[in-house]
Amino acid sequence: MVKALRSLLYSEKVAPYIFVSPFIVAFVVFFLYPTINTFVMSFQEIVGLDSARFVGLENYKKLFNVHFYNALKTNTLYTLFTLLLLIPIPILFAVFLNSAFVKGKTFFRTSIFIPALTSVIVAGVCFRLMFGELDTALVNSLLIKIGLPPQKWLLGYWTGMLLMVLLHFWKTAGIFMVYYLAGLQSIPHELYESAQIDGAGAVQRLWYITLPLLKPIVIYTLTIAIFEGYRMFGESYVFWNEGMPGDIGLTIVRYIYQQAFQRNDMGFGSAIGIALLCLVMIVNLIQLRFFGMFKKERD
Amino acid sequence: MTLWTFNDLHTDYYRKTVELWNEEHPEQPIDLVIDTYPNNEMHTKLLIALQSGVGAPDIADININFFHNFLKGDIQLVELNDIIEPELSQFVKSRFDIYSKDGKYYGIGFHVGATVVYYNKEIMDQAGVDIESIKTWDDYIEAGKKVLAATGKPMTAFEITNQRPFWPMIVQRGSDYLSEEGVILDNETNIEVLQAMYDMIYEHEIAIPMPGGNTGSEEFFAFMNNGGIASLIMPMWYMGRFTSYMPDLEGKILIRPMPVWEEGDFRSAGMGGTGTSITKQSEHIDLAKQFLAYAKLTKEANIRIWQELQFDPIRWDVWDAPELQEPLEYFGNEVVFNTLLELKDEIASPYYNELSSAAQDLVMNDVMFKALSERIATPEEALREAADELRSQQE
């Protein structure tokens, strides 16, 4: 018995599978099974605990409605804006904090990173109070001081968008900065030295050495930022908990939540989920191809 | 047993009810664990627990706005006819119908939710308006103009991220969002009412879109408390919000019936509600039923619902009980229930079915916002658009 076990564990063929099995099991139970199940449910009408009825493409047909378009639009704009902020600004943070001349690096690094540790809901509640619509709310009171009209932040499409993007940026910039810092520190110092000897200025060094060598990190952050953008939920939920007037803040995942869990229409919710999956896959594939991630395989 | 609710006031009520029960029934004590969650979250949690077959509480408070989502397909709530029917004649029946399907009752409410107008006496006096003379909405508009001229303050505010006073205003005229025949959201009456509301804001300028969007927001509490508007059209259960969140209005608020559009209209409408239900997952269904009846159906319970929650109880034979006939200092030292008794036969409740949640969401998030606040659609367009969307969901 012991011998058999030992030979099993030492066998080059079997042992690797045993070692990866915890991951495989978790993957199958918590990822593969729900995914397949969602796919199946997206073709069904779920009526009760165990009763479901196949309805063909009915759920997918329902996708062609104005709310889904609104959600799609909001998500796409939101993703775009977060990318515009989340790629360049953390790189600048990282470059500054990596330079030898900046004082109090640890302090700045810590204070930029700390928001990443807060919960989006807790931070969001603070944002909501700061951006309240009365004249006495923090941001409006500041606006009034500098002579601008107070805003109803949560009741306008673009102000609402601004709040979501701002909250997400505030929370995520620190993590992205850490990625870039790690990337920067792996760039050999000699490159900068030789560039300097050749007469390259600070901007040239940034443009010709730092950015090209950071490319893999940028691609990585871009990929997760796109994914994060499309699957956004918390930022919207915390601002418009009870309802979203005029679909302000309605994102695809919120639409899933609304249809599946609030309206009890699991089938339609699953169909939206599958649509979201396809969408994110396509966007990410295009982006990865654009950056030449598949070139090696073609060569 | 476990109980889920979404309102702190309810939590206190149940806690006290259990104490009373345990005093009276020492042979069958109940250990009740009460969990309070935020409104939306609780309903989502409950729906998931019921769908997945595990984790639901024995008893749950379900907001009327969500109630009919729980009556789809294979219903996971326990039928309550056996405890309700013997007592039904003492109750406002329409308040049970809203929690029923196919003649079976699945929930028991707290209150009638009769819609009334809360007038700020101080502002009305400044403007020299006698509120007893306001009988029709035209009178109300005229009074509003006087208030505006004298104080510069609007007469009232309309919710733009919720559905009041639009819903009670159409229900008092016998209209609704839905009926047994289908979607009637865009009928003549409703268009007329919404247009009148629009005119009150932009033509007569006696009303404003509500600060904070709805009557449950902190912004609105502060605004109302500071005497921002002269009156508010809301159900009776809003009295508790006044006393809890607007302390500066003590003694200044008077409660009167809703004005009417034309003769024959009702002067009120029963709005909102919480159906308390028992889930099929409960292991103590019989005990839960006895407790629920004790907490919601007895005379004593209905008196306590008034005393502790300041809700207008659904059992009308307690309305003239001495406990309910005490004058209330906050509300101008008047006997509020005399107003309600006067309205007893004029309280219609909305019609609810499986489309209700969707209909309300559309009115709250689209119609009011587009027509009254952003003005990107006329009242008629906004209602037609929403009605068409509902019809497409109806199949």
Side-chain angles (χ1 to χ4, degrees):
Chain A
M1 182 60 201
V2 177
K3 212 174 172 190
L5 192 69
R6 178 171 293 177
S7 74
L8 196 69
L9 282 176
Y10 281 87
S11 135
E12 277 180 28
K13 273 188 184 155
V14 183
Y17 292 100
I18 295 176
F19 291 133
V20 295
S21 61
F23 167 74
I24 299 284
V25 170
F27 175 78
V28 169
V29 173
F30 293 111
F31 192 83
L32 196 62
Y33 168 72
T35 309
I36 294 171
N37 213 10
T38 307
F39 189 70
V40 174
M41 275 161 65
S42 75
F43 296 99
Q44 289 175 329
E45 187 190 348
I46 316 288
V47 271
L49 270 187
D50 298 310
S51 46
R53 182 167 70 87
F54 276 94
V55 290
L57 288 173
E58 210 49 52
N59 287 325
Y60 288 94
K61 275 189 205 149
K62 280 202 266 178
L63 279 179
F64 296 94
N65 75 64
V66 64
H67 301 294
F68 185 67
Y69 293 143
N70 283 339
L72 204 59
K73 178 179 136 199
T74 306
N75 256 142
T76 307
L77 288 172
Y78 171 83
T79 309
L80 205 69
F81 291 137
T82 53
L83 288 181
L84 286 178
L85 289 177
L86 276 178
I87 304 296
I89 296 179
I91 292 186
L92 288 181
F93 283 159
V95 169
F96 277 118
L97 292 180
N98 199 41
S99 105
F101 310 107
V102 176
K103 287 207 169 106
K105 272 188 223 175
T106 331
F107 172 75
F108 284 115
R109 256 182 234 183
T110 318
S111 39
I112 295 176
F113 187 72
I114 274 182
L117 304 175
T118 59
S119 120
V120 64
I121 297 301
V122 173
V125 169
C126 297
F127 268 65
R128 197 174 67 206
L129 294 174
M130 281 177 0
F131 287 88
E133 70 174 64
L134 290 188
D135 293 352
T136 45
L138 180 69
V139 177
N140 272 348
S141 69
L142 293 178
L143 281 185
I144 291 169
K145 279 225 173 76
I146 57 170
L148 293 172
Q151 298 290 322
K152 291 183 176 179
W153 298 97
L154 292 175
L155 293 179
Y157 186 80
W158 294 106
T159 48
M161 178 69 78
L162 177 77
L163 292 197
M164 292 190 289
V165 172
L166 215 58
L167 175 58
H168 184 67
F169 173 72
W170 178 81
K171 217 180 112 50
T172 318
I175 301 180
F176 278 32
M177 179 192 73
V178 170
Y179 292 148
Y180 293 130
L181 270 177
L184 286 178
Q185 274 156 9
S186 69
I187 299 176
H189 203 65
E190 294 80 25
L191 289 176
Y192 290 107
E193 263 172 40
S194 51
Q196 217 164 357
I197 293 167
D198 288 343
V203 178
Q204 280 169 312
R205 272 173 299 177
L206 176 72
W207 191 254
Y208 291 108
I209 300 175
T210 311
L211 290 184
L213 287 173
L214 271 185
K215 193 174 146 190
I217 313 267
V218 174
I219 293 173
Y220 171 69
T221 50
L222 196 63
T223 312
I224 56 171
I226 289 177
F227 181 68
E228 292 265 325
Y230 274 102
R231 66 150 210 204
M232 185 268 274
F233 176 81
E235 281 84 352
S236 152
Y237 186 74
V238 68
F239 288 131
W240 297 275
N241 186 339
E242 293 286 330
M244 294 160 287
D247 285 351
I248 297 172
L250 178 71
T251 65
I252 300 176
V253 179
R254 273 222 71 178
Y255 196 44
I256 297 178
Y257 178 80
Q258 185 191 59
Q259 295 299 326
F261 303 124
Q262 295 185 311
R263 299 270 178 80
N264 203 359
D265 190 348
M266 284 287 177
F268 185 39
S270 303
I272 308 170
I274 297 294
L276 175 64
L277 179 70
C278 297
L279 184 80
V280 175
M281 290 261 279
I282 291 168
V283 174
N284 267 331
L285 284 178
I286 293 174
Q287 170 248 333
L288 290 175
R289 190 172 193 118
F290 178 76
F291 281 103
M293 288 305 273
F294 300 118
K295 265 186 197 147
K296 263 182 210 147
E297 288 154 39
R298 269 191 282 145
D299 280 346
Chain B
M1 290 199 296
T2 51
L3 184 152
W4 287 2
T5 182
F6 52 88
N7 185 331
D8 281 329
L9 297 169
H10 299 183
T11 313
D12 296 339
Y13 177 78
Y14 287 123
R15 206 159 272 153
K16 191 147 173 235
T17 311
V18 171
E19 274 172 34
L20 292 173
W21 167 281
N22 287 342
E23 274 168 31
E24 284 175 38
H25 302 80
E27 76 295 344
Q28 204 176 22
I30 294 176
D31 179 20
L32 190 69
V33 181
I34 306 171
D35 291 320
T36 317
Y37 299 100
N39 185 16
N40 258 333
E41 199 184 313
M42 192 218 86
H43 293 93
T44 311
K45 252 177 114 92
L46 183 63
L47 200 55
I48 295 172
L50 291 176
Q51 276 166 343
S52 57
V54 285
D58 298 271
I59 304 175
D61 272 352
I62 305 176
N63 190 316
I64 180 67
N65 295 357
F66 299 95
F67 203 89
H68 285 256
N69 290 341
F70 292 85
L71 301 184
K72 287 180 185 171
D74 191 5
I75 298 172
Q76 293 300 307
L77 303 177
V78 174
E79 198 189 311
L80 302 172
N81 287 37
D82 51 339
I83 54 171
I84 291 174
E85 268 158 9
E87 310 264 358
L88 196 56
S89 55
Q90 266 74 255
F91 284 85
V92 179
K93 183 169 174 292
S94 77
R95 301 310 288 175
F96 284 104
D97 294 340
I98 58 177
Y99 306 111
S100 71
K101 189 180 183 184
D102 303 328
K104 292 176 184 162
Y105 300 115
Y106 293 100
I108 303 177
F110 270 112
H111 60 69
V112 177
T115 306
V116 292
V117 182
Y118 297 88
Y119 291 100
N120 184 325
K121 189 167 163 282
E122 205 176 53
I123 299 178
M124 302 308 288
D125 285 348
Q126 272 176 39
V129 175
D130 174 20
I131 57 170
E132 312 301 337
S133 69
I134 302 175
K135 300 287 179 208
T136 66
W137 286 111
D138 285 334
D139 298 341
Y140 186 81
I141 293 172
E142 288 312 311
K145 287 178 182 165
K146 280 188 204 160
V147 168
L148 188 69
T151 65
K153 285 179 179 170
M155 182 73 166
T156 189
F158 298 144
E159 289 184 321
I160 48 172
T161 58
N162 210 310
Q163 48 192 344
R164 294 160 298 220
F166 178 64
W167 208 5
M169 278 177 168
I170 62 170
V171 169
Q172 76 170 151
R173 303 188 70 178
S175 182
D176 209 329
Y177 302 160
L178 307 163
S179 77
E180 268 155 43
E181 281 87 55
V183 179
I184 55 167
L185 180 60
D186 56 349
N187 70 12
E188 285 293 302
T189 313
N190 296 359
I191 293 172
E192 224 177 277
V193 168
L194 191 58
Q195 184 65 46
M197 288 172 67
Y198 178 92
D199 291 342
M200 285 190 208
I201 301 181
Y202 296 105
E203 196 192 312
H204 310 301
E205 293 177 344
I206 63 148
I208 53 168
M210 192 168 283
N214 61 72
T215 49
S217 64
E218 292 95 345
E219 276 113 329
F220 179 72
F221 293 149
F223 174 78
M224 186 78 205
N225 188 37
N226 293 332
I229 47 175
S231 67
L232 179 70
I233 306 150
M234 276 298 281
M236 289 278 272
W237 52 257
Y238 202 70
M239 290 168 72
R241 308 294 196 278
F242 270 106
T243 49
S244 313
Y245 301 122
M246 298 167 228
D248 296 343
L249 296 178
E250 174 152 10
K252 298 179 194 165
I253 297 293
L254 295 181
I255 294 175
R256 292 292 175 272
M258 288 170 81
V260 293
W261 298 93
E262 55 194 16
E263 209 162 317
D265 288 351
F266 285 171
R267 288 179 295 160
S268 189
M271 285 292 136
T274 299
T276 309
S277 302
I278 298 170
T279 69
K280 283 191 180 161
Q281 285 177 29
S282 169
E283 283 168 14
H284 316 278
I285 288 179
D286 282 325
L287 184 61
K289 272 187 182 174
Q290 284 172 40
F291 177 71
L292 189 56
Y294 179 78
K296 289 252 177 132
L297 295 177
T298 61
K299 251 185 158 170
E300 293 72 27
N302 277 272
I303 289 173
R304 285 184 48 232
I305 286 176
W306 163 248
Q307 289 176 321
E308 288 163 34
L309 299 169
Q310 288 192 319
F311 290 159
D312 41 346
I314 46 178
R315 186 170 174 131
W316 53 258
D317 67 352
V318 303
W319 291 358
D320 49 9
E323 291 88 344
L324 277 69
Q325 286 291 323
E326 276 171 29
L328 295 176
E329 220 168 289
Y330 190 101
F331 298 95
N333 224 6
E334 291 187 335
V335 179
V336 173
F337 269 87
N338 287 342
T339 309
L340 195 63
L341 275 169
E342 193 189 321
L343 293 173
K344 190 181 143 206
D345 300 317
E346 297 184 46
I347 305 167
S349 288
Y351 173 79
Y352 287 90
N353 68 17
E354 291 186 356
L355 267 184
S356 291
S357 286
Q360 294 180 64
D361 272 356
L362 276 170
V363 175
M364 294 196 268
N365 293 329
D366 272 14
V367 177
M368 292 301 138
F369 186 67
K370 285 179 182 165
L372 297 185
S373 164
E374 300 303 290
R375 297 205 266 169
I376 44 180
T378 65
E380 181 171 353
E381 284 164 6
L383 285 170
R384 289 220 191 286
E385 219 173 274
D388 286 341
E389 189 178 332
L390 279 178
R391 286 192 189 104
S392 74
Q393 288 179 26
Q394 199 171 27
E395 289 140 328

